[in-house]
Amino acid sequence: MTGQIYRDVILEQHVRLFRGAMGAEFLFMDDNARPHCANIVDECLQSEDITRMDWPAYSPDLNPIEHVPDMLDRRIAARLPLSTCLPKLPRALLDECNWLSEHKVS
């Protein structure tokens, strides 16, 4: 993806409209991927008066979804012995995803 595609597809078609629905308190969060840092993207955000959240590069701790695969892995490893894991894995994944959904773990 390039900065221009990011601007044209993501920012102009989705973020701009979402910001309009959310109002002035909208705070946009993306990461420091190269397309996100392009001048064309910065100019677009400024022209749309969209405030971008500052955050350091390589900080998955700021995005809670980054922790879900690790949590699922640990919970499934605690449930299933390694030798019997593969045949039971689909059911275990569904069970654990349901558990996460019910407990709204973040």
Side-chain angles (χ1 to χ4, degrees):
M1 177 180 294
T2 66
Q4 184 173 354
I5 292 171
Y6 182 68
R7 181 200 64 187
D8 295 347
V9 175
I10 305 300
L11 297 180
E12 290 186 355
Q13 293 182 24
H14 301 285
V15 175
R16 184 175 55 85
L17 298 174
F18 191 69
R19 189 251 187 231
M22 294 296 295
E25 298 300 314
F26 178 73
L27 182 63
F28 181 61
M29 182 178 87
D30 61 2
D31 58 22
N32 292 318
R34 186 173 301 229
H36 303 174
C37 298
N39 288 336
I40 195 169
V41 170
D42 291 337
E43 291 166 5
C44 177
L45 292 173
Q46 287 176 357
S47 72
E48 295 291 336
D49 197 29
I50 296 174
T51 304
R52 176 188 270 164
M53 178 180 159
D54 292 325
W55 65 332
Y58 307 110
S59 57
D61 54 316
L62 294 177
N63 190 351
I65 195 68
E66 298 292 336
H67 300 285
V68 172
D70 180 56
M71 181 184 294
L72 284 172
D73 185 48
R74 286 184 282 116
R75 290 184 58 86
I76 289 171
R79 283 177 57 161
L80 301 173
L82 205 51
S83 61
T84 63
C85 186
L86 194 55
K88 297 178 182 177
L89 184 58
R91 180 76 248 164
L93 278 169
L94 287 172
D95 290 346
E96 292 303 330
C97 286
N98 288 335
W99 183 88
L100 288 172
S101 180
E102 290 171 10
H103 292 88
K104 300 202 185 333
V105 174
S106 59

